[in-house]
Amino acid sequence: MNFSQIKDSATNILSGNETKSFKLQAICDLLKSEISYYDWVGFYFKNGTNQELKLAEFAGEPTEHTIIPFGKGICGQVAVSNQNFVVQDVSAQDNYISCGWKVKSEIVIPIFVNEENIGQIDIDSHTVNPFTENDEALLEFICKKVAEIL
């Protein structure tokens, strides 16, 4: 896995003429296929004026968590804190929404447009302790690029 090549691929995807939905799905597919421990990749966005997130595009097993209230779970906490949240072992988290017994860790990075947190990228892994600073930097890069098309 070469994070530099993934960044280049993501930039190419996001600069194309396809729809926003197509581009977001392509980013999910790219990350899931290129990074072995990214077992679920999805975007959540603020649901209108509601204090909740709504699932948009994703790659991986379907989830029942299509709506997440602000403050609930890792995604909901990021919607409130506006900070990255890296959870190397979900069993150690009190405020965690289980997406399945296979999920062992999660990383969530917010997306900002005009300094407002409008959504996030959410990655689940079936591996404990897989995420590094490189993952965080890659996902921050992708979120900045995604913000440019929103």
Side-chain angles (χ1 to χ4, degrees):
M1 142 196 44
N2 182 320
F3 282 0
S4 180
Q5 288 176 339
I6 294 171
K7 284 181 179 181
D8 290 344
S9 295
T11 299
N12 288 336
I13 289 167
L14 293 168
S15 64
N17 293 323
E18 296 83 0
T19 65
K20 176 184 77 167
S21 178
F22 180 93
K23 292 176 185 181
L24 293 177
Q25 186 62 57
I27 293 294
C28 292
D29 295 339
L30 170 73
L31 292 173
K32 186 174 183 308
S33 68
E34 293 298 317
I35 302 177
S36 63
Y37 50 91
Y38 283 19
D39 296 298
W40 191 92
V41 179
F43 287 98
Y44 283 93
F45 292 101
K46 186 173 180 189
N47 191 14
T49 58
N50 299 327
Q51 294 295 297
E52 64 188 18
L53 298 164
K54 184 175 183 179
L55 180 63
E57 291 72 21
F58 69 93
E61 294 180 15
T63 177
E64 62 188 46
H65 303 290
T66 57
I67 300 289
I68 299 175
F70 282 13
K72 185 150 176 66
I74 308 307
C75 291
Q77 290 177 75
V78 169
V80 173
S81 74
N82 299 321
Q83 301 289 319
N84 297 352
F85 201 158
V86 181
V87 181
Q88 299 288 11
D89 182 355
V90 296
S91 69
Q93 281 295 313
D94 291 335
N95 189 3
Y96 171 71
I97 300 172
S98 176
C99 292
W101 63 271
K102 292 187 249 181
V103 177
K104 305 294 184 211
S105 56
E106 184 173 7
I107 183 171
V108 179
I109 308 294
I111 300 169
F112 294 96
V113 173
N114 298 324
E115 299 181 19
E116 180 186 355
N117 181 349
I118 55 92
Q120 54 200 232
I121 192 167
D122 177 22
I123 313 290
D124 291 344
S125 179
H126 299 165
T127 306
V128 174
N129 201 32
F131 303 118
T132 68
E133 290 177 1
N134 290 333
D135 292 286
E136 203 167 352
L138 170 67
L139 296 172
E140 286 174 349
F141 173 86
I142 287 174
C143 286
K144 284 178 185 160
K145 290 292 186 182
V146 165
E148 294 172 7
I149 69 161
L150 299 176

